[in-house]
Amino acid sequence: PDASRATRRRSAALTMAAQRGDLDFVHSEVVQDLLSSASLPRLEAALVHIQELLDDSGARRSLETALLAARTTLQRRLFQVMGGSEIAELSEASQGTVDLVLEFLSSGSQENRKRASVSVQVASSSVARALLPFLPATDGEQRSINVDVNIWDARSLAARKCSKVPLLFWPCSRMLAELVLSAPELFDGKSVLELGCGCHGLVAFAASQVGAPFVLATDLCAEAVFDTAANLSGYGLAESQALACVLDWERIDDCDHVLLDMQFPVIVGSELIHDSDMPDMLMAALVRLLAPGGRAIIMQADARFRYGVEEFQSRLRSEPRFGVEIVPVPAEMVDRLSGTNSEDLHSEVMTYSLYS
């Protein structure tokens, strides 16, 4: 009876979370349960929870978004179920849920949300390259990207009940993309991990255009990951070139795309610190994920404008495994934000720094 009551309470909590659009909770408690289910009872329980959310009209959309954000790994897991002995041992209802989820993941159908298509142009510059003083002043070549980025329209975003932070097009992302285009030798031939990719995929796309053979774009927000995956596909990148997935800095080994002890020679990120509990989590993630001799490049608004930045700087400087340079982003580069769709998230008093 106690176990039954606990199961009912958990089902109710999941349903309420999905109804209010808490995609991060749905992903961690439902999708991860399904992916990590090592026993038949856990697999059965995960499928029951999924079916309950599918049957609830108010919760279904959140579940669908979370499922799509982990499409590749979910398909692989469910095909394993279909091809193994587990399928015959599942209840008939759970077998039907497996079929239903696989059909949905194959079709990718989801109620369309209102989107805004934003044309974004970013070019390399000597000003951006100068932020990395260990590089020669110029490599003599101009590079640019010109893409249409699909993001939430203002009305849909305003109606969102959960955090809007991962679904905004932050100014630092645009400036980091400019820096990536300006320093191709740091990315050519190297796999790149992007932390906090948000919803647009612009930085990952820029890295792919300067020779990175593979970019893994990650975020904690499942919905942002879904949007990034859609944008990367829209830019013409195959999953073998750039892939988006959910990554929890406190549960890195739960991510199927970051294998045990896997590290990256290059890590990039923008606006990764905006709360006081984030420096410790980010530092632990960098220690775990940055390969020896590798380089992390982070663009960040300064401490006056973001909680936790001073603590992050202190942690970086005291970490014996890292050498760090913190360089102010010059006004000439910041001024290019004027007239862009990122301008609303920037004011003329704001300042930024590059960490490398």
Side-chain angles (χ1 to χ4, degrees):
D2 289 343
S4 179
R5 280 195 295 271
T7 300
R8 289 197 297 272
R9 284 197 298 270
R10 187 165 188 270
S11 294
L14 290 172
T15 300
M16 287 189 291
Q19 288 172 344
R20 66 175 181 265
D22 190 344
L23 288 169
D24 298 336
F25 186 82
V26 172
H27 181 272
S28 64
E29 297 298 323
V30 180
V31 177
Q32 284 297 334
D33 258 12
L34 180 57
L35 290 173
S36 62
S37 53
S39 65
L40 187 65
R42 284 193 63 186
L43 176 61
E44 186 88 47
L47 290 168
V48 167
H49 288 314
I50 286 175
Q51 189 61 57
E52 288 172 347
L53 296 181
L54 288 172
D55 291 340
D56 187 302
S57 58
R60 183 181 181 113
R61 182 174 176 180
S62 293
L63 174 67
E64 289 181 343
T65 302
L67 293 174
L68 286 171
R71 176 189 290 181
T72 303
T73 49
L74 275 174
Q75 285 178 320
R76 184 163 62 244
R77 174 69 179 109
L78 292 178
F79 282 136
Q80 287 175 346
V81 172
M82 293 289 286
S85 60
E86 291 174 302
I87 191 67
E89 299 180 50
L90 288 173
S91 67
E92 187 175 339
S94 290
Q95 291 180 30
T97 302
V98 171
D99 290 338
L100 194 62
V101 172
L102 280 173
E103 181 181 354
F104 168 73
L105 292 174
S106 297
S107 66
S109 60
Q110 185 189 37
E111 180 185 349
N112 289 329
R113 156 177 88 228
K114 290 184 179 178
R115 292 178 178 269
S117 182
V118 178
S119 181
V120 177
Q121 300 86 33
V122 181
S124 61
S125 71
S126 58
V127 175
R129 188 174 175 85
L131 286 168
L132 300 168
F134 53 87
L135 295 179
T138 179
D139 69 345
E141 187 175 342
Q142 182 73 13
R143 299 169 194 80
S144 63
I145 54 177
N146 188 339
V147 292
D148 291 327
V149 181
N150 288 315
I151 56 177
W152 285 57
D153 76 344
R155 181 172 296 182
S156 295
L157 196 59
R160 179 178 164 84
K161 298 176 182 177
C162 296
S163 173
K164 302 173 178 60
V165 170
L167 304 176
L168 295 168
F169 196 169
W170 293 95
C172 277
S173 298
R174 186 185 292 268
M175 292 191 292
L176 181 58
E178 179 179 338
L179 180 73
V180 170
L181 293 173
S182 305
E185 60 266 59
L186 297 184
F187 302 90
D188 189 21
K190 298 174 183 175
S191 295
V192 176
L193 172 67
E194 183 182 6
L195 300 176
C197 67
C199 64
H200 45 76
L202 185 67
V203 176
F205 180 61
S208 75
Q209 299 306 290
V210 292
F214 178 72
V215 184
L216 183 64
T218 67
D219 202 289
L220 179 62
C221 174
E223 196 153 10
V225 166
F226 172 71
D227 288 349
T228 286
N231 276 314
L232 291 173
S233 177
Y235 304 153
L237 296 179
E239 286 191 352
S240 59
Q241 298 171 288
L243 185 68
C245 70
V246 172
L247 178 66
D248 184 338
W249 298 345
E250 295 185 292
R251 298 168 59 181
I252 289 173
D253 292 334
D254 286 350
C255 178
D256 281 359
H257 297 288
V258 180
L259 304 179
L260 186 64
D261 298 327
M262 184 178 183
Q263 294 182 307
F264 294 81
V266 181
I267 295 177
V268 295
S270 56
E271 293 288 21
L272 299 182
I273 301 292
H274 48 80
D275 209 338
S276 57
D277 64 345
M278 302 185 80
D280 286 345
M281 290 190 292
L282 178 55
M283 285 300 301
L286 291 173
V287 168
R288 162 67 177 81
L289 294 167
L290 185 62
R295 183 171 297 277
I297 300 173
I298 298 170
M299 189 81 74
Q300 176 70 47
D302 287 335
R304 182 181 169 191
F305 311 100
R306 299 286 186 268
Y307 291 115
V309 171
E310 287 184 352
E311 293 90 338
F312 180 54
Q313 292 176 350
S314 176
R315 287 295 313 276
L316 274 175
R317 290 179 173 129
S318 64
E319 173 52 61
R321 285 166 285 193
F322 295 155
V324 61
E325 293 280 345
I326 304 175
V327 182
V329 176
E332 182 180 345
M333 195 169 170
V334 176
D335 288 345
R336 281 197 273 275
L337 296 171
S338 178
T340 70
N341 66 297
S342 297
E343 186 178 21
D344 291 343
L345 300 171
H346 166 76
S347 73
E348 60 182 16
V349 301
M350 288 187 71
T351 56
Y352 305 86
S353 293
L354 180 77
Y355 300 71
S356 65

